[in-house]
Amino acid sequence: MNRAPIIFLGVFFALAFSFVGLVLTNQITYGAFTTHVDEEEGKAFPLPAPGLAAQGKLVYQDLGCVSCHTQQVRRAGFGADTGEHSRGWGERQSVARDYLREERVLLGSVRIGPDLRNLAARKNAEGADFTADWLYRYLLDPKLVVADSDMPRYAFLFKTRQIVGEPSPKALKLPAASAPAAGYEIVPTARGEALVAYLLSLKDTYAYPETKNVYTPPAPKKAGEKKEGHE
Amino acid sequence: MATDSSHSPELTPERSSNPAETAGIDASLRTPLVALIGSALVWLLVASVLGLVSAWKLHTPAFLDACEYVTFGRLQPAQTNAFIYGWGFNAAFAVSLWLMARLSRAALPGCGVLLVGTLFWNLGVTVGIGGIILGFSTSIEWLEMPGFASPLLLVAYALIASWSLVVFRAGRSGQIFASQWYLIAALFWFPWIYSVAQVLLVFAPVRGTVQSVVHAWFSSNLLLLWFGSIGLAAIYYFLPKLLLKPVANYYLASLAFWWLVIFGSWAGISTLIGGPIPAWVQTAGAAASFMLVVPLVIIGMNHFGTLAGRWSALKDNITLRFVAFGAAAFSLVLLAWVLTSIHGIAAVTQFTFVTSAQAQLGLYGFFTMVVFGSLYYIVPRVLNTAWASAPLAGVHFAASALGVILLVGSLAVAGITQGRLLADASVPFAAVTKATESCLFAGTVALLILAIGQLAFALNFFWTLARASACCVKSAKGLLSAHSEAAR
Amino acid sequence: MSADQNKNLSADQSGASDESIQQVHAELVAKKPEPKEGFKTMPLFLLGFVSTMIFVTSIYVVHYRAGFSPMVYDERFDPKTAAGSVAKELTPEQVVAAGKKSFQQTCAACHQNTGLGVPGTYPPLAGSEWVNGSDERVIRILLHGLNGAVEVEGKTFNGAMPAFGKVTGGGYNWNEEKISQVLTYIRQEWGNKSAPITKDQVAEILGKEKARAKSWTASELETFK
């Protein structure tokens, strides 16, 4: 350990070891995955996101939603993400192919807010599907919809404007207490619309071949059949 | 071979060897270190303000939520990036430069390159933080600074790190001490992990969750093999220096170094347990994390073996107090890393505030505290002036120690509560966040206490700097004559 | 000793010299301390500890390696042992769930999620005698489609149902398993309580009607009541 060249070489190989073993190996094995073509439906999964949803993803990134929300469903039995007695955040564990088309994978690292991976495929707290309407109201003021919510308001994704002629079809329907003054309506800005379109595109419902590789515990042996050939 | 007595060979005090040479080395580092430490402290205070606001928003979400530029999702990354790249890196450069110069026993041949590097680095961080606030964040944790800031940082790093290597090559140290292994490793590693991360995540992103693997690899390397290495280098240096006692069981230190280096870079994957990456990768990450127990034990033996029997020295020496605190925190960081990689525990602690607690323990409890201790030793020698205020130093230590314990503790408790409730599907989500509110408030209080300590330190530093400049201006002979004053 | 010595806040060089730090530590490594009572156990304990860690971790890696396959995301799953049961049978609940998904994606467009259909055009499935009746008839409807007026629960409906099976002129090309899943679903939903339909039954009908290239009419299906 007295020679600097030995230390340099050792340090280089140590990092090279993890770089090759982790980064390169994974890039070669599953970084090269392609979409899965479903013969019956004639589509390649994962489906590409519609244009507005792709813009919405950029809004999601720039507002830093990943600071509070994750987008990964862990396997059944690991926490309460999916499976029996779970929060129903997904039908199955998220697999690598679900993120294939994403230019920036935002798995998230902390759940100050719930997981969003399957937002469009699950029910909200009232048991209904998430709709654009519900999401707009939630973003404008979360407490309108979920009384105890800890999420800040995103009122800057909306604008209050005077009603000219007919009220806009995009105007939010709000209860009297939060409704704007008479003659005014609240509509989402382009960013707000894009963000909601993105959120409504979040569903990982396709069953890729690898989603079948799930561990099933061996069936418990019944008392009478304990020893084979006993009968 | 004459057997040594039961005492290990003694370390000779500085005074009796070559004080003029050491003073010369310190003097040559004065300008770059003042620039680095000054900017580091400014960033520390900026990060504290950002941190206080975002911590307040965690339990009172309505606070300032009308302004898009300070929404939590932008403020929180701005704070972590300001802390890591603004404070952490400037401080790391300062400490590693000084350590490298001292251990190589070579004065800095010139500081223009370093000053340009420091300027570029701070420029890059400013541009990056500005970019995050304005909405150009990449949303990748600890790499949120937009793509137009990272080349600035890499250029700045090249300038600064190359100068450290210049110093090392100019040195005459025949025997390379443990601190130098860690410094060489850190200086060599960072540009590699950072450029790989930037290329594979921002500029030419790899497909799908390979990004998550690269990201986890980068984050653990940043924490363990950059900040960890520089912190350990400082601890390995200051313990024998100030206790005048060689490091206990030093012959094991190289084993710990290689073990940490080899397994530490795999251990980051343990944050992805249960995630959408192949199961064997998750297992490899968890296994590497378990292996961190070995350096935990050996480094613990090194540090606490050296401190054993000398605990009374902590009373009189502020550097030792900070460094010992940091050493204890490092052991806890590794222990927490091992524990949170176990499946049963990860099922509860993953995605909770426990991960924030771990990050704070590593970045603040270990790295920042060790750097504070190092700076308390470095600054007077580089400026050739004693610290302006002893009470401020005392306030700094008390506030920092208390703040760290409160912060890490409250986040850990919040995280465990959150994890337990999250794992119980019958608890509605809103109730989970409600349950953590009081602990998060305690965390905000802790941040306030830490900020008080930081203010005390910054005040002390700039006061000392003012005194040192006044002293130099007063003295007609300038810098060199200051040495003779100290030698008196 | 000035008051500044307290807490080591002064600039004097009171610590150990850098030269001696390096020299002494290099010596320590070169000649390890003489074995004493304490020292002999140290390296051995460490050797034992390190070996145990390597052993335990290796067992962990081997146990949870999941075949080192990039297609496995559950670490408890072993591709080798599961290779035998490649085409796993779905449980009855899974069959119904799969049928429900297909129904909601496609059939609900006309027959509605409630199974009540649209008066005059799309017949209801809830309580329908066609759904709960003969297997042969309902399988044929799904395979080849249904055209023209049809009477369900006393009311007349006149829509056009496309062919869903892998038949000539069919645009959906659903396989037998999918058809059997949808049929099983509708036969147990909305109060219907009829027996599930297996994919073998569907395959049998498909074989029998190989030549057919157009959709059924209600009168043609009378024979299969």
Side-chain angles (χ1 to χ4, degrees), chain C residues 9-183:
Chain C
L9 294 170
S10 66
D12 79 331
Q13 315 283 9
S14 57
S17 78
D18 302 314
E19 196 166 0
S20 72
I21 290 179
Q22 284 172 309
Q23 219 163 346
V24 164
H25 285 100
E27 280 170 32
L28 275 178
V29 174
K31 56 172 170 63
K32 296 205 179 67
E34 291 288 320
K36 281 171 40 181
E37 314 84 50
F39 280 114
K40 230 180 212 150
T41 55
M42 277 301 217
L44 242 123
F45 133 78
L46 206 62
L47 193 65
F49 177 64
V50 170
S51 317
T52 314
M53 278 312 299
I54 296 179
F55 182 65
V56 165
T57 311
S58 315
I59 294 187
Y60 177 83
V61 171
V62 166
H63 189 231
Y64 286 121
R65 73 190 186 285
F68 290 114
S69 162
M71 297 283 271
V72 179
Y73 299 88
D74 184 341
E75 76 281 353
R76 304 164 300 177
F77 180 81
D78 187 350
K80 277 206 247 350
T81 56
S85 56
V86 153
K88 244 181 7 181
E89 281 301 319
L90 291 175
T91 64
E93 291 85 26
Q94 286 174 319
V95 170
V96 167
K100 177 173 183 170
K101 202 155 81 155
S102 306
F103 181 87
Q104 287 180 337
Q105 275 171 355
T106 321
C107 320
C110 299
H111 291 289
Q112 309 308 308
N113 270 318
T114 51
L116 293 173
V118 171
T121 328
Y122 306 123
L125 303 175
S128 161
E129 67 273 24
W130 293 72
V131 172
N132 291 301
S134 127
D135 305 351
E136 306 238 329
R137 186 170 61 167
V138 73
I139 292 176
R140 283 179 165 80
I141 294 179
L142 225 71
L143 280 176
H144 300 100
L146 186 61
N147 228 323
V150 62
E151 191 183 315
V152 183
E153 293 175 37
K155 302 197 187 66
T156 320
F157 297 86
N158 204 336
M161 175 155 157
F164 282 89
K166 284 199 165 107
V167 298
T168 330
Y172 284 88
N173 289 310
W174 283 7
N175 63 16
E176 292 105 22
E177 184 165 12
K178 195 159 177 177
I179 291 188
S180 66
Q181 287 170 351
V182 174
L183 286 173

Side-chain angles (χ1 to χ4, degrees), chain B residues 1 3-4 6 9-15 17 22-23 26 102-103 105 173 175-177 180 237 240-242 244 246-247 249-252 255 259 275-280 282-283 286-287 290-291 293-294 297-298 301 315-319 321 341 343 376-377 380-381 384-387 389-390 393-394, chain C residues 1-34 36 39-47 49-77:
Chain B
M1 229 19 231
T3 50
D4 273 319
S6 56
E10 281 300 318
L11 295 168
T12 51
E14 200 97 51
R15 257 183 256 109
S17 69
T22 333
D26 288 338
R102 277 295 200 104
L103 283 167
R105 291 200 295 292
S173 50
Q175 302 100 340
I176 303 184
F177 178 58
Q180 289 166 292
Y237 179 75
K241 190 166 190 76
L242 295 169
L244 282 157
V247 174
N249 298 302
Y250 180 72
Y251 65 99
L252 295 169
L255 176 64
W259 203 278
I277 60 170
W280 73 265
Q282 301 173 31
T283 304
F290 298 150
M291 292 296 231
V293 181
V294 173
V297 167
I298 298 181
M301 278 163 65
K315 242 192 307 173
D316 296 324
N317 198 318
I318 196 160
T319 303
R321 263 190 271 168
S341 309
H343 266 97
Y376 271 109
Y377 189 87
R381 283 147 189 86
N384 205 26
T385 317
W387 278 102
S389 165
Chain C
M1 293 284 207
S2 68
D4 280 338
Q5 288 293 68
N6 189 19
K7 296 193 215 169
N8 187 44
L9 294 170
S10 66
D12 79 331
Q13 315 283 9
S14 57
S17 78
D18 302 314
E19 196 166 0
S20 72
I21 290 179
Q22 284 172 309
Q23 219 163 346
V24 164
H25 285 100
E27 280 170 32
L28 275 178
V29 174
K31 56 172 170 63
K32 296 205 179 67
E34 291 288 320
K36 281 171 40 181
F39 280 114
K40 230 180 212 150
T41 55
M42 277 301 217
L44 242 123
F45 133 78
L46 206 62
L47 193 65
F49 177 64
V50 170
S51 317
T52 314
M53 278 312 299
I54 296 179
F55 182 65
V56 165
T57 311
S58 315
I59 294 187
Y60 177 83
V61 171
V62 166
H63 189 231
Y64 286 121
R65 73 190 186 285
F68 290 114
S69 162
M71 297 283 271
V72 179
Y73 299 88
D74 184 341
E75 76 281 353
R76 304 164 300 177
F77 180 81

Side-chain angles (χ1 to χ4, degrees), chain B residues 346-395:
Chain B
V348 172
T349 62
Q350 212 181 24
F351 305 141
T352 63
F353 292 111
V354 172
T355 35
S356 318
Q358 276 181 278
Q360 293 288 10
L361 184 61
L363 287 171
Y364 211 106
F366 160 64
F367 178 73
T368 303
M369 295 297 269
V370 170
V371 163
F372 282 152
S374 316
L375 290 178
Y376 271 109
Y377 189 87
I378 295 174
V379 167
R381 283 147 189 86
V382 155
L383 294 179
N384 205 26
T385 317
W387 278 102
S389 165
L392 276 180
V395 164

Side-chain angles (χ1 to χ4, degrees), chain B residues 76-158:
Chain B
Q76 159 81 333
Q79 180 242 330
T80 48
N81 279 271
F83 188 84
I84 291 176
Y85 297 95
W87 153 253
F89 271 82
N90 278 312
F93 291 146
V95 170
S96 63
L97 253 176
W98 186 86
L99 281 175
M100 197 58 109
R102 277 295 200 104
L103 283 167
S104 313
R105 291 200 295 292
L108 212 60
C111 64
V113 172
L114 275 173
L115 289 176
V116 171
T118 312
L119 181 68
F120 266 90
W121 183 271
N122 287 312
L123 193 66
V125 178
T126 313
V127 167
I129 305 288
I132 297 176
I133 302 265
L134 290 173
F136 296 98
S137 160
T138 61
S139 260
I140 307 170
E141 199 183 357
W142 291 5
L143 284 168
E144 286 98 345
M145 292 202 277
F148 45 78
S150 40
L152 273 171
L153 294 181
L154 271 171
V155 165
Y157 182 86

